[in-house]
Amino acid sequence: MAASMSDVFSFCVGVAGRARVAVEVRFVSSAKGKGLFATQLIRKGETIFVERPLVAAQFLWNALYRYRACDHCLRALEKAEENAQRLTGKPGQVLPHPELCSVRKDLHQNCPHCQVMYCSAECQLAAAEQYHQVLCPGPSQDDPLHPLNKLQEAWRSVHYPPETASIMLMARMVATVKQAKDKDRWIRLFSQFCNKTANEEEEIVHKLLGDKFKGQLELLRRLFTEALYEEALSQWFTPDGFRSLFALVGTNGQGIGTSSLSQWVHACDALELKPQDREQLDAFIDQLYKDIEAATGEFLNCEGSGLFVLQSCCNHSCVPNAETSFPENNFLLHVTALEDIKPGEEICISYLDCCQRERSRHSRHKILRENYLFVCSCPKCLAEADEPNVTSEEEEDEEEEEGEPEDAELGDEMTDV
């Protein structure tokens, strides 16, 4: 039951100066599945498409630790100065050029029943029309015995930071179908995402939940069923179907990162200043990030994940010709060309961050196998095929110090906001 291309492209929100999205989805091979290809010349630096997710959700620990984001589009809700004060642990922290902060608190709205916050009336309405009528706990928002709260607490008890997925992404998938007038259309859209074998699905679930994943998965399935059962999706609530749903989210969930402070920094970078003033401002920002690192570590952004139909068709390459980012400080994903892309050429992004792409072929393959269950055969990997299948001593030392990468897909895009 495949979704039509008009269904798929309906989630692209437009590209300036182009009447239509200049891409098409094609079958590549049994190993790679689908791929995304250019239908016209795309110039370096050009935005190929902008896509909104079918569903998105903030990570649960991220929300619990007061990273305040719109419950629908994940736009950061704190003013840049408030964000800096919380991240540095300095209540008196003041930012110069406060007028550059893009957060509009006067537009913020909350659900009148459960009080979750939205960045605008538009997001509140969009959430209500798509899934929130089903998921709104009303006055039971803080009741630990509410079925959804029991589900979220169980998830937090088995999936700790750094987070890579959220059970609420799955909950919003179910709620979307429950609320939809055309349930079949949404089921078709969710079916677009790649499927794995039973063994591959178990590997993904093991990666997300750890060694005791079978018992934890069954507990989550039981709580998920109690909170959200829907007859039209009965297969999703069986042991095999729930494992498949879990694997779908684990494989296809695209990391989303938003930050009002990052937006303020970008705006500062664009200021035209005298050399001395520029030097002072850059020094201030450098020190600010040092203070944040000392107080908060690497967790700077409001973080979550979403399911993007078109972006999920982009295959990986260690030498990508496109990249993803979230420059609008919300869940709208931009795919931008890193070089000229000719008509008929496949559009590839990298599932690895910049540092990972510079590592040896063996190390890159290890990360990709563990996180995405495939072996890369991009031009760079083929050119390095004669390299020894060992990790360099330097990289082994680095792995021992840093630990295994928990979530390769949250690399560049989580900070490029």
Side-chain angles (χ1 to χ4, degrees), residues 33 79 121 124 126 187 221 228 280-281 299 302 325 367 392 401:
K79 286 278 192 180
Q124 181 187 1
I187 294 172
R221 187 186 71 84
L228 294 162
Q280 289 178 347
L281 182 57
F299 299 102
C302 299
S325 63
I367 296 168
S392 68
E401 290 174 9

Side-chain angles (χ1 to χ4, degrees), residues 138-240:
S140 300
Q141 172 76 354
D142 298 319
D143 180 1
L145 298 180
H146 188 280
L148 281 174
N149 290 336
K150 289 166 66 176
L151 177 65
Q152 292 178 75
E153 181 56 35
W155 175 259
R156 279 192 293 263
S157 72
V158 298
H159 189 69
Y160 294 96
E163 298 170 273
T164 62
S166 171
I167 195 76
M168 293 310 293
L169 194 65
M170 298 161 61
R172 288 187 179 183
M173 292 170 69
V174 173
T176 293
V177 174
K178 287 174 80 77
Q179 276 192 217
K181 292 179 180 178
D182 187 353
K183 298 183 190 301
D184 287 343
R185 173 178 178 264
W186 281 99
I187 294 172
R188 287 195 302 272
L189 283 166
F190 289 131
S191 73
Q192 291 295 295
F193 297 97
C194 67
N195 298 311
K196 300 291 184 183
T197 66
N199 286 340
E200 288 174 331
E201 288 175 353
E202 285 215 350
E203 286 188 54
I204 295 164
V205 175
H206 185 184
K207 182 77 176 175
L208 288 172
L209 298 183
D211 290 338
K212 299 179 181 178
F213 71 93
K214 290 187 178 179
Q216 292 166 341
L217 188 65
E218 179 55 28
L219 170 63
L220 290 169
R221 187 186 71 84
R222 180 173 58 78
L223 293 172
F224 194 77
T225 302
E226 289 175 3
L228 294 162
Y229 185 76
E230 163 60 37
E231 185 62 34
L233 297 170
S234 58
Q235 174 59 27
W236 285 6
F237 294 88
T238 66
D240 287 347

Side-chain angles (χ1 to χ4, degrees), residues 9 11-19 21 47-51 328 334:
F9 285 117
F11 286 87
C12 287
V13 297
V15 179
R18 185 184 292 147
V21 178
T47 299
I48 303 171
F49 63 87
V50 180
E51 184 179 11
E328 298 185 46
H334 289 232

Side-chain angles (χ1 to χ4, degrees), residues 349-366:
I349 59 176
S350 180
Y351 302 170
L352 307 176
D353 64 31
C354 294
C355 294
Q356 291 166 342
R357 290 200 296 272
E358 295 307 312
R359 298 176 72 176
S360 69
R361 174 178 177 270
H362 177 71
S363 293
R364 298 197 306 273
H365 280 201
K366 185 172 184 286

